[in-house]
Amino acid sequence: MSHIVTPDICDAHPEVRVLDPIFVNFGGREAFCGPIRTVKCFEDNSLVKQAVGEPGEGAVLVVDAGGSQRCAMLGDMLAEQALENGWAGVVMYGCVRDVDVLAETELGVQALGVHPRKSEKHGEGQRDIPVTFAGVTMAPGQWLYADNNGILVAGERLPLEG
């Protein structure tokens, strides 16, 4: 995989959409990219657990958790499962927990913040639908690129130098 540097991608591909700079990098893999798969849920991570339990094939799981600051939607066990199943990363519009372990896990994880409480589990939410947060609508099949400079979305895989 080519080296991901989002400022260089923005310069070479001005058409990319840039998410608002509200995310913090928590994963052990600081730069990651892949085709988008989505989950939309609120304070219930059942569908996140379901998704990371399936083959990721290098995809990025984009989770619209409604921006909730009241519980974590991803922790060390789900991150480890995502890594084992071949996911490139997770972008969480919500909180994560177990951040010391996440930092040691070779998975890209960007989220709004940290919360020690786990989420509910009622099986609620939707998968593989367009989601909108941080000023960008993201749909399954689009490509996401992330590093410490930010998160970008492109309509298709971009040719990267490097």
Side-chain angles (χ1 to χ4, degrees):
M1 179 183 300
S2 297
H3 190 63
I4 299 158
V5 180
T6 57
D8 293 349
I9 295 171
C10 281
D11 292 351
H13 302 278
E15 74 279 8
V16 299
R17 292 165 293 137
V18 180
L19 274 68
D20 293 340
I22 57 176
F23 293 89
V24 177
N25 209 339
F26 291 104
R29 182 189 235 176
E30 293 185 344
F32 58 97
C33 72
I36 292 172
R37 296 196 202 156
T38 64
V39 169
K40 183 171 181 155
C41 51
F42 186 74
E43 298 182 0
D44 178 342
N45 76 345
S46 302
L47 295 185
V48 174
K49 181 177 183 180
Q50 180 186 74
V52 300
E54 298 169 0
E57 302 169 332
V60 176
L61 185 62
V62 174
V63 182
D64 181 352
S68 173
Q69 302 282 305
R70 299 189 301 208
C71 66
M73 298 292 286
L74 180 85
D76 59 349
M77 292 188 293
L78 293 186
E80 186 62 37
Q81 193 171 15
L83 179 63
E84 289 172 5
N85 285 321
W87 291 85
V90 177
V91 173
M92 179 66 66
Y93 185 56
C95 292
V96 297
R97 67 184 197 167
D98 305 312
V99 295
D100 295 331
V101 177
L102 291 182
E104 300 296 319
T105 304
E106 192 58 32
L107 180 73
V109 178
Q110 293 215 17
L112 296 180
V114 181
H115 200 291
R117 178 165 289 139
K118 67 180 179 179
S119 78
E120 298 293 321
K121 306 225 183 339
H122 300 293
E124 297 175 1
Q126 296 172 283
R127 285 187 63 183
D128 303 317
I129 63 166
V131 296
T132 303
F133 57 81
V136 175
T137 298
M138 293 156 277
Q142 294 176 333
W143 274 69
L144 185 140
Y145 299 84
D147 67 5
N148 286 324
N149 295 291
I151 302 172
L152 315 174
V153 174
E156 58 190 19
R157 184 177 191 165
L158 299 173
L160 300 181
E161 301 295 321

